[in-house]
Amino acid sequence: MDTGESGRRLIDGRFELVAPLGSGGMGTVWRARDIALHREVALKEVRPPDPATAAAQPGLTDQLRERAVREARALARLAHPHVVTIHHIVEPAEGADGHPWIVMELVRGGSLHDRLASGPLPLAEVLRLGLDLLSALRAAHAEGILHRDVKPANVLLRPDGSAVLTDFGIAALHGSTGLTATGVLIGSPEYIAPERVRGEEGLAASDLWSLGMLLYVAAEGVHPLRRATSLATVVAVLDDPIPVPVRSGPLGSVLERLLVRDPAARPDGARLERLLRDASTALGAGPGAGSGAAPVAGPAVPAPYGQYGPPTLPAPPPFGPGPSPYAVTTAPLPLAPAPRRRPALIGAALAAVLAAGAVGLVQWLPDGTAGSRDDAKGGSITGPTATATATATATATATATATATTVAAAPSTGPKPNTPKAGAARGSLLTPENIRIALEAFKQQTGTTTFVDLKVYDGYVLASIPTGPGAETVDAWQYRDGAAKRTGPDGTVKDGEPLIDMAAVDWDALPGLLEQSKKDLGVPNPTSRYVIVEPWMMDQVPCMRPYLSDEYGRGGYVLAGIDGKVKKVVPS
């Protein structure tokens, strides 16, 4: 082994290893000194896996080597101020043992993941962050490179606050051979775009979804779709409504336009840049400019060892796994079933979810407990958590009320919403009687009970309904508090997918199906439950899928026909 004058290990006769910065499944990142140019750099050592792992996955060692080289080449093509700079790559000789080393700039600041451990960012910083990262992604996309893993741990912050995108290790290069096995999920579950879960690749819009989710977390301080397990999170990415942002100010409308399940409906890079700049202008013109988020308890101090964090790592906060780009890897996950589109505009329908779910959101914070799915949990909460919960609930309620007022005041060319009637649904909507009341309310407004899909929660119902007989376009509707209301466009009807007459579903079988689901999934006391009715992705046959989970993250879903007969049980 070569050593320098200081006795430290030398790589390629030039790079003197000083200290490890962090490690993970793809190796170790070192702080090093380039003795030729007298500067500090970061070296990524791509170690082969341990013998047991290598034996269990033949070819993994070669795959990791090729991935490392591909990352270096991808990054080297991007001479951009918001993309980490690659200086050099050290490859082992042909046929020789060893592994590659990637030599890159040492960014003297912490990761965004570390920074968010102190709380959400001020809104002005979030908007600057969004513009920095968007410019990096647009440069990458122009070179035919998709990042596929945009998340806080892969964003470094320079001392001046500017952002640097790194870790293109699973980036997709146009025309390159894929390095991942068919049928596995690549990327972090919290930030992966829903179409990627469904197996659709090659879309720049997917990176923009991930960016939108990152900005949501940075502004709101919580991840809207993170659940207790990775599989539950993937299901949420596909299925669950995204709560309306409550502290994002003018960024909120941008997030609502960006975080839609249909990638074709998202703004492209150029349009998104204009929206972010307009939001920045609006923030600067409004009262309290630049203070879109509450102050945090002391800013994070940039790490003296660079971007990768210390070898001893804290527990992951609620916005995603891993405190540094290379400290934690994401295990491949099986693909989850693909639901149809979800409403593009959330609207006032989630006011109850924001208010009632504030306790659950606060309990996702790193206090040693797991959070629930959508509903607030009972029990006694005292101290700082109780204060935070009360504040979050008040904020959510006030914002949701303002949102509902805005929606009600806005002019509409569509049908007028119902007003609550004496016969409106009362209590949980997950009963045959109340579901039929909701369907009748939808029918009064649209003239039909034949929908693309239907989602029934305890507190509200969401439906995707064609805009007319034989129409290809679809609107999103909600039923809440006895009223049916259109909330916005919801894409188009996909070829080959049948519409479902929701009145023909055997709703009388639902109570028994829910009880059977509790037994089959081992969840006697679910804290979250909802039912989806839509064509099953594998055979396009209409189905009912109850989803249940408890406060420990146990649960899953049951696949049943619209007659209520169970076909398959899928625990998480």
Side-chain angles (χ1 to χ4, degrees):
M1 178 181 68
D2 293 339
T3 59
E5 294 181 358
S6 63
R8 297 190 180 110
R9 183 180 175 188
L10 275 181
I11 303 301
D12 201 31
R14 172 176 173 179
F15 303 102
E16 184 180 61
L17 301 184
V18 177
L21 302 176
S23 62
M26 284 193 65
T28 300
V29 179
W30 295 78
R31 185 175 68 183
R33 177 175 171 77
D34 183 345
I35 61 176
L37 297 178
H38 301 286
R39 65 178 177 184
E40 284 197 316
V41 293
L43 255 67
K44 182 175 180 179
E45 176 188 14
V46 186
R47 292 196 313 265
D50 62 83
T53 302
Q57 301 182 58
L60 179 60
T61 298
D62 291 339
Q63 185 182 81
L64 290 179
R65 289 177 179 175
E66 186 175 349
R67 180 179 293 177
V69 173
R70 187 171 72 168
E71 175 186 354
R73 289 172 179 165
L75 289 173
R77 287 163 53 178
L78 300 177
H80 192 278
H82 299 299
V83 176
V84 69
T85 301
I86 291 294
H87 297 312
H88 184 61
I89 182 170
V90 180
E91 296 186 66
E94 186 72 24
D97 292 333
H99 47 272
W101 295 76
I102 301 174
V103 185
M104 63 186 76
E105 68 169 313
L106 184 68
V107 179
R108 298 186 178 279
S111 72
L112 177 61
H113 185 285
D114 298 331
R115 171 63 182 83
L116 289 176
S118 300
L121 301 178
L123 189 52
E125 293 184 23
V126 178
L127 289 165
R128 177 187 178 184
L129 176 73
L131 289 167
D132 285 354
L133 296 179
L134 177 60
S135 67
L137 288 173
R138 292 186 68 189
H141 296 165
E143 293 290 334
I145 301 169
L146 302 178
H147 190 283
R148 301 206 300 174
D149 198 21
V150 178
K151 60 183 180 181
N154 287 341
V155 175
L156 313 179
L157 300 175
R158 300 188 191 277
D160 65 359
S162 62
V164 182
L165 186 61
T166 188
D167 205 348
F168 283 67
I170 62 172
L173 305 182
H174 179 69
S176 67
T177 302
L179 295 179
T180 58
T182 302
V184 298
L185 181 67
I186 295 300
S188 302
E190 290 90 345
Y191 295 93
I192 193 169
E195 64 272 13
R196 281 185 172 145
V197 178
R198 294 193 295 263
E200 300 175 30
E201 283 292 356
L203 301 177
S206 301
D207 279 348
L208 299 185
W209 165 284
S210 302
L211 174 61
M213 194 60 70
L214 179 150
L215 296 178
Y216 187 111
V217 171
E220 298 291 310
V222 293
H223 196 296
L225 299 178
R226 191 180 189 210
R227 303 295 183 256
T229 66
S230 293
L231 183 56
T233 299
V234 170
V235 171
V237 168
L238 288 168
D239 282 341
D240 287 5
I242 299 175
V244 176
V246 298
R247 57 187 298 136
S248 295
L251 176 63
S253 61
V254 181
L255 296 177
E256 290 187 33
R257 297 182 64 174
L258 185 56
L259 294 176
V260 294
R261 261 72 181 202
D262 182 359
R266 295 173 205 149
D268 61 14
R271 177 61 179 156
L272 179 57
E273 180 178 349
R274 290 195 295 272
L275 292 173
L276 289 173
R277 294 195 183 281
D278 289 345
S280 296
T281 301
L283 179 67
S291 58
V296 298
V301 178
Y305 35 74
Q307 68 268 42
Y308 299 105
T312 302
L313 304 173
F319 37 79
S324 74
Y326 304 104
V328 175
T329 58
T330 302
L333 298 174
L335 289 175
R340 282 200 50 84
R341 70 187 67 74
R342 299 298 155 214
L345 302 177
I346 304 302
L350 297 178
V353 177
L354 284 167
V359 174
L361 292 175
V362 169
Q363 287 180 332
W364 287 344
L365 295 175
D367 59 359
T369 62
S372 69
R373 292 284 307 244
D374 294 304
D375 303 316
K377 298 194 282 289
S380 175
I381 303 176
T382 60
T385 299
T387 303
T389 300
T391 303
T393 303
T395 303
T397 303
T399 303
T401 302
T403 301
T405 303
T406 301
V407 172
S412 172
T413 58
K416 302 299 182 184
N418 289 342
T419 55
K421 300 180 180 180
R426 294 290 184 265
S428 171
L429 289 169
L430 280 168
T431 67
E433 296 78 13
N434 283 340
I435 292 174
R436 290 187 175 109
I437 290 173
L439 291 177
E440 181 61 28
F442 285 135
K443 184 177 180 180
Q444 289 179 13
Q445 294 299 302
T446 65
T448 185
T449 57
T450 300
F451 304 165
V452 173
D453 57 35
L454 187 76
K455 288 181 64 176
V456 185
Y457 293 80
D458 279 304
Y460 57 95
V461 180
L462 303 177
S464 298
I465 305 177
T467 56
E472 294 182 354
T473 51
V474 177
D475 280 341
W477 286 78
Q478 64 169 348
Y479 176 84
R480 178 171 171 259
D481 295 333
K485 180 185 298 183
R486 176 185 178 273
T487 59
D490 198 20
T492 59
V493 178
K494 289 187 177 180
D495 292 339
E497 286 196 89
L499 300 177
I500 302 174
D501 183 358
M502 298 300 171
V505 175
D506 187 359
W507 295 114
D508 292 326
L510 181 60
L513 177 59
L514 289 172
E515 288 301 313
Q516 184 64 40
S517 298
K518 291 197 288 187
K519 296 177 183 178
D520 291 344
L521 294 170
V523 185
N525 300 302
T527 55
S528 174
R529 61 179 192 160
Y530 58 96
V531 175
I532 299 175
V533 181
E534 66 181 357
W536 178 236
M537 63 171 294
M538 302 304 294
D539 55 17
Q540 298 303 306
V541 174
C543 70
M544 284 198 288
R545 298 207 311 276
Y547 285 78
L548 306 178
S549 66
D550 63 15
E551 60 183 337
Y552 301 103
R554 297 175 301 190
Y557 70 91
V558 171
L559 174 66
I562 59 173
D563 58 0
K565 294 181 179 179
V566 175
K567 299 180 179 180
K568 185 177 182 180
V569 177
V570 185
S572 60

